[in-house]
C-alpha cells in the first residue's frame, strides 16, 4: 500500500514526486523504461518570461492568442505567473539551463511567442536533461517500477484505490494507494504519422474513461508541422526552434510556401503551418526545411543534427523533407486547478490532463511548463490529504473483446481524424470503431493495450464529429469557420455518454 501511486514518469509524474514530502511512500510506474516518454524527446524547451523586456502578462496574451478563444483564462494566468517563479526556483536549486557568457539564461524564440522566452538545457535535449535532474532528485524517496503497465484502475465505492498492473512477463498485481495519479502522457501513436514516443497510445484516457471519469476537449489534437519524413516514414521531430533561428519552408522549386499566407510566416500558429504543408504534400509537392544558413547548426541542435545525419541528410548542406504529424493532445481527463478529476482520489497531470490552458491549440513550449506547474499544485493538494467521498459507480457494461489491427486503425485515424476532417469521414470511423466500455481482468496485457488504443481513438472521433466548426487545431472541411455558437462550448465524454458544457471565455483583447 502506497500513499500515492503515480502512473507515468515523464515531467509531470517526476515533478509531482519531487514536490511531495519524503515522508510519503511514492510509487512511480512506467510502461517501458523511464526514458521512453514524450518528455525525453522534448527539444525546443520551456517557456518562461524571464527576460527584463518580458512579463507573465505578455506570455498570457501570446498563449490566449494561440488557443483560438478556447482557453481557461484564470488557469493560463496561473500557468505563466507560477511558471516563472517555479523555473526561477528550479534554477536556484541547480537545474542546468543553457546560459550565455554572462551566466544569464539563453532565451530562444518559437512560433507565436512575441518575445524570446524559451529556455533550453543541453541545446535541444531539454526534456532529457529535465528528466535526469528530476530522477536524481527523487531517487531516494520513490519506488520506481519500470515496465509496469497499468491495465485498469481499481475502484471501490466510487473512489479510486489503486491500479491493476502487469509486468513485462504478464504477471499481474494490484497496487493499492490512497491517491492515484494519471501522468500517462499523450496520444500521438494513435496516428500513423507522429513525433511521439511509442508509449503515447492514450492509455490514460482509456483508464479514466473505464473508471467513469469525465474527459473533455478530445477533438483538439495538435499536428506538428515539421516531422522529418523520409519515404513516408516519420523519422523524428525538427523543433520550431529551428524555424525560430531563421530556417524557412520551401517547396521543390525553392519557393517559400508561408510567405503570402500569414504575417508571421514560418512562425505562424502550428495549425496554420501544418495545414499549408499538408496541402502541398497532398498535391504531390513535397516541402522542405531550409536551415543551411543557421550559424553553428550542429552546436545549437545537436540531437536534430545527429538524427538527420543518421538518416543521410546533412542539414548544413541539404534540405530536410518535412511533413506534419500528431504531436500534442490539448484535451484529456477533465481536472480542476489542482489536478483533481471527477473521481475522488484519482488525479491527472501533464499531457493526459485537460486543465484548459492550451484551449484549442497549444502555444509551443507551454506543455513542459504545464507539467511542472500543475504537478506542484497537485503536490500541495495531496499534502492537505483531502479525501472526498465517492458515488458508487458500475462500469461493468457488456461487450466482447475487440479484434482490430493497430496499423489499420492508425491509418484510419490519420485519414479521418487528422489535420483535415469531414463529417462523412468521422461518421465512417465511428461506425467502424464504436465505443466498447469494458476491460475484463482476465484480458492479457496485449489485449488491454489494444483496448486502450481503441477507446482513446474512438473517444477523439466522437468529439470531433460533434464539433461542427473549425477552431484551432480542429479543422472541419465541411464547417471551415469558427462559430459564435461553439465559442466557449466544451464537449465532455464519460461512460454515461456525451454532453456539452460552457467555459467562460476571456477574449484575447481583454487579457491584461
Ligand atoms: C518530439 C517532441 C518534442 C517536444 N518538444 C517540446 C518542447 O520543446 N517543449 C514543450 O513544452 N513540450 C514539448 N513537447 C511536448 C511535451 O514533451 C509533452 O507534452 C510532455 O513531456 C508530456 O509529459 P508527461 O509527463 O505528461 O508525459 P510523458 O513524458 O509522455 O510520460 C508519460 C509516462 O506515462 C507512462 N505510461 C503511459 N501509459 C502507461 C500505462 N498504461 N501504464 C504505466 N505507465 C504508463 C509512460 O511510460 C511514461 O513514463 C514535445 C513532444 C514531443 C513528442
Amino acid at each position: 500500500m502506497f500513499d500515492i501511486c503515480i502512473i507515468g514518469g515523464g515531467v509531470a509524474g517526476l515533478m509531482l514526486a519531487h514536490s511531495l514530502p519524503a515522508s510519503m511512500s511514492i510509487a512511480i510506474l512506467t510502461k517501458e523504461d523511464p526514458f521512453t516518454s514524450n518528455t525525453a524527446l522534448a527539444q525546443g524547451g520551456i517557456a518562461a518570461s524571464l527576460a527584463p523586456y518580458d512579463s507573465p502578462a505578455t506570455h498570457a496574451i501570446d498563449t490566449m492568442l494561440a488557443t483560438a478563444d478556447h482557453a481557461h483564462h484564470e488557469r493560463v494566468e496561473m500557468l505563466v505567473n507560477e511558471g516563472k517563479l517555479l523555473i526561477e526556483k528550479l534554477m536556484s536549486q541547480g537545474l542546468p539551463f543553457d546560459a550565455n557568457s554572462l551566466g544569464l539564461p539563453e532565451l530562444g524564440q518559437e512560433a507565436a511567442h512575441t518575445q524570446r522566452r524559451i529556455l533550453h538545457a543541453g541545446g535541444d535535449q531539454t526534456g532529457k536533461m529535465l528528466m535526469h535532474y528530476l530522477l536524481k532528485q527523487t531517487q531516494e524517496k520513490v519506488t520506481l517500477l519500470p515496465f509496469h503497465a497499468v491495465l485498469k484502475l481499481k475502484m471501490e465505492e466510487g473512489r479510486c484505490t489503486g491500479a491493476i498492473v502487469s509486468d513485462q512477463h504478464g504477471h499481474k498485481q494490484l497496487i493499492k494507494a490512497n491517491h492515484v495519479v494519471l501522468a500517462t502522457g499523450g496520444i500521438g501513436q494513435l496516428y500513423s504519422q507522429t513525433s511521439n514516443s511509442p508509449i503515447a497510445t492514450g492509455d490514460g484516457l482509456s483508464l479514466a474513461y473505464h473508471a467513469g471519469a469525465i474527459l473533455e476537449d478530445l477533438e483538439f489534437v495538435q499536428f506538428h508541422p515539421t516531422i522529418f519524413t523520409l519515404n513516408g516514414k516519420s523519422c523524428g521531430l525538427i523543433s520550431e526552434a529551428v524555424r525560430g533561428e531563421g530556417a524557412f519552408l520551401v517547396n521543390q522549386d525553392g519557393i517559400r510556401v508561408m510567405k503570402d499566407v500569414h504575417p508571421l510566416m514560418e512562425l505562424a500558429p502550428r495549425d496554420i503551418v501544418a495545414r499549408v504543408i499538408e496541402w502541398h504534400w497532398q498535391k504531390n509537392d513535397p516541402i522542405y526545411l531550409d536551415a543551411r544558413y543557421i550559424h553553428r547548426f550542429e552546436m545549437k541542435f545537436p540531437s536534430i543534427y545527429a538524427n538527420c545525419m543518421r538518416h543521410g541528410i546533412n542539414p548544413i548542406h541539404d534540405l530536410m523533407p518535412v511533413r506534419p504529424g500528431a504531436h500534442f493532445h490539448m484535451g484529456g481527463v477533465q481536472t480542476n486547478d489542482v489536478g483533481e478529476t471527477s473521481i475522488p482520489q484519482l488525479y491527472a497531470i501533464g499531457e493526459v490532463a485537460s486543465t484548459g490552458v492550451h484551449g484549442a491549440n497549444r502555444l509551443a513550449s507551454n506543455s513542459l511548463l504545464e507539467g511542472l506547474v500543475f504537478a506542484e499544485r497537485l503536490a500541495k493538494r495531496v499534502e492537505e490529504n483531502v479525501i472526498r467521498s465517492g458515488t458508487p459507480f458500475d462500469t461493468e457494461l457488456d461487450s466482447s473483446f475487440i479484434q482490430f489491427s493497430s496499423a489499420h486503425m492508425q491509418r484510419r485515424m490519420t485519414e479521418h481524424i487528422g489535420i483535415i476532417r469531414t463529417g462523412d469521414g468521422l461518421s465512417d470511423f465511428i461506425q467502424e470503431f464504436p465505443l466498447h466500455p469494458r476491460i475484463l481482468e482476465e484480458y492479457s496485457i496485449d489485449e488491454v493495450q489494444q483496448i486502450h488504443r481503441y477507446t482513446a481513438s474512438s473517444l477523439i472521433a466522437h468529439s470531433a464529429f460533434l464539433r461542427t466548426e473549425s477552431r484551432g487545431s480542429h479543422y472541419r472541411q465541411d464547417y471551415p469557420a469558427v462559430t459564435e455558437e461553439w465559442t466557449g462550448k466544451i464537449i465532455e465524454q464519460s461512460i454515461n455518454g456525451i454532453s456539452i458544457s460552457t467555459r467562460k471565455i476571456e477574449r484575447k483583447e481583454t487579457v491584461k
Side-chain angles (χ1 to χ4, degrees):
M1 174 89 178
F2 288 91
D3 289 324
I4 186 161
C5 170
I6 305 172
I7 308 170
V11 62
L14 289 174
M15 182 64 194
L16 173 60
H18 177 51
S19 310
L20 288 167
S23 57
M24 285 184 83
S25 57
I26 307 168
I28 294 188
L29 316 180
T30 65
K31 190 158 69 165
E32 296 186 10
D33 73 277
F35 278 91
T36 304
S37 69
N38 278 357
T39 300
L41 296 176
Q43 304 172 342
I46 306 180
S49 56
L50 298 188
Y53 48 78
D54 200 3
S55 68
T58 316
H59 188 179
I61 291 172
D62 291 350
T63 302
M64 294 294 286
L65 278 165
T67 57
D69 279 340
H70 195 68
H72 192 304
H73 180 235
E74 281 160 30
R75 306 246 180 106
V76 169
E77 300 236 299
M78 277 170 199
L79 175 78
V80 296
N81 286 314
E82 293 175 25
K84 177 177 193 277
L85 299 175
L86 184 54
I87 293 294
E88 284 168 347
K89 184 165 102 185
L90 288 169
M91 280 166 61
S92 72
Q93 289 173 356
L95 180 59
F97 284 116
D98 297 345
N100 61 21
S101 54
L102 300 172
L104 298 169
E106 188 121 52
L107 298 169
Q109 176 95 46
E110 279 193 346
H113 284 274
T114 55
Q115 304 292 343
R116 292 184 82 89
R117 63 166 75 95
I118 315 299
L119 289 138
H120 298 96
D124 57 4
Q125 303 181 64
T126 308
K128 218 171 268 163
M129 300 289 278
L130 185 58
M131 282 193 65
H132 276 296
Y133 173 80
L134 290 172
L135 277 167
K136 193 155 175 245
Q137 299 296 313
T138 52
Q139 64 188 3
E140 308 256 290
K141 63 177 178 182
V142 160
T143 304
L144 182 61
L145 298 169
F147 299 100
H148 278 66
V150 176
L151 308 179
K152 192 175 178 179
L153 298 174
K154 179 73 182 165
M155 297 293 295
E156 288 176 287
E157 295 174 347
R159 294 176 295 119
C160 184
T161 57
I164 298 157
V165 307
S166 170
D167 65 18
Q168 68 216 98
H169 308 296
H171 177 70
K172 290 181 193 167
Q173 61 172 308
L174 169 65
I175 294 184
K176 295 213 80 177
N178 284 327
H179 304 275
V180 178
V181 183
L182 294 168
T184 49
I187 54 125
Q189 288 292 339
L190 302 180
Y191 291 85
S192 34
Q193 295 201 307
T194 183
S195 62
N196 281 199
S197 142
I199 56 88
T201 48
D203 295 14
L205 303 184
S206 172
L207 290 166
Y209 176 78
H210 287 102
I214 298 173
L215 298 95
E216 67 177 21
D217 278 345
L218 299 177
E219 64 276 31
F220 297 116
V221 178
Q222 185 174 78
F223 294 87
H224 196 288
T226 51
I227 311 284
F228 181 44
T229 302
L230 289 173
N231 305 321
K233 263 191 68 187
S234 305
C235 299
L237 181 85
I238 301 180
S239 146
E240 220 124 51
V242 176
R243 278 174 281 139
E245 288 299 316
F248 40 81
L249 290 160
V250 293
N251 72 358
Q252 53 200 339
D253 302 321
I255 295 168
R256 284 185 71 174
V257 294
M258 289 305 298
K259 203 152 178 265
D260 299 319
V261 177
H262 194 279
L264 289 171
M265 294 194 281
E266 277 78 3
L267 296 180
R270 280 185 178 171
D271 58 304
I272 296 173
V273 182
R275 270 199 298 279
V276 170
I277 299 177
E278 185 60 22
W279 184 83
H280 278 274
W281 273 91
Q282 286 186 8
K283 297 198 160 359
N284 288 326
D285 185 17
I287 298 298
Y288 302 87
L289 194 59
D290 187 348
R292 291 175 296 178
Y293 308 102
I294 295 179
H295 182 53
R296 297 197 309 156
F297 184 95
E298 70 287 7
M299 307 285 281
K300 285 184 176 142
F301 305 107
S303 302
I304 299 172
Y305 179 76
N307 185 42
C308 288
M309 293 296 279
R310 255 197 312 277
H311 289 90
I313 300 276
N314 180 349
I316 295 167
H317 303 296
D318 304 325
L319 300 178
M320 295 173 274
V322 288
R323 192 167 183 170
H327 184 57
F328 182 80
H329 198 197
M330 275 69 76
V333 183
Q334 187 181 71
T335 66
N336 65 7
D337 61 6
V338 288
E340 291 172 325
T341 71
S342 56
I343 293 182
Q345 290 164 242
L346 178 68
Y347 311 84
I349 45 172
E351 192 167 337
V352 69
S354 175
T355 59
V357 297
H358 304 299
N361 204 10
R362 173 188 71 131
L363 181 67
S365 286
N366 267 358
S367 42
L368 291 175
L369 190 69
E370 183 204 21
L372 293 169
V373 167
F374 284 88
E376 196 189 43
R377 293 183 76 82
L378 175 57
K380 286 186 189 137
R381 182 64 170 177
V382 167
E383 268 190 84
E384 292 166 9
N385 204 8
V386 184
I387 294 189
R388 293 176 290 145
S389 60
T391 316
F393 190 82
D394 181 11
T395 62
E396 299 296 300
L397 305 184
D398 275 342
S399 100
S400 53
F401 182 68
I402 314 143
Q403 294 290 351
F404 69 98
S405 131
S406 297
H408 171 67
M409 194 163 195
Q410 282 174 320
R411 275 196 302 276
R412 300 288 279 161
M413 282 293 282
T414 306
E415 208 174 300
H416 294 308
I417 336 283
I419 301 175
I420 299 167
R421 302 165 175 183
T422 64
D424 287 348
L426 290 160
S427 159
D428 282 358
F429 186 94
I430 290 168
Q431 274 178 28
E432 189 177 351
F433 304 107
L435 276 166
H436 284 258
R438 194 175 189 195
I439 299 177
L440 296 181
E441 294 193 4
E442 64 267 23
Y443 286 164
S444 71
I445 178 168
D446 289 343
E447 287 171 330
V448 177
Q449 291 289 332
Q450 293 274 68
I451 294 179
H452 288 333
R453 188 185 272 280
Y454 182 106
T455 306
S457 301
S458 187
L459 285 165
I460 294 168
H462 278 79
S463 294
F465 180 68
L466 193 57
R467 186 174 283 277
T468 47
E469 67 156 358
S470 292
R471 183 179 296 272
S473 64
H474 170 69
Y475 182 75
R476 286 279 300 256
Q477 203 166 35
D478 44 351
Y479 294 97
V482 176
T483 69
E484 201 52 37
E485 186 196 340
W486 276 103
T487 301
K489 293 289 184 296
I490 310 290
I491 299 174
E492 297 180 339
Q493 289 196 68
S494 75
I495 220 154
N496 292 324
I498 196 158
S499 60
I500 297 173
S501 70
T502 305
R503 175 181 288 161
K504 194 173 150 275
I505 294 300
E506 194 105 1
R507 298 272 184 197
K508 50 193 179 288
E509 55 273 18
T510 61
V511 177
K512 297 269 179 330

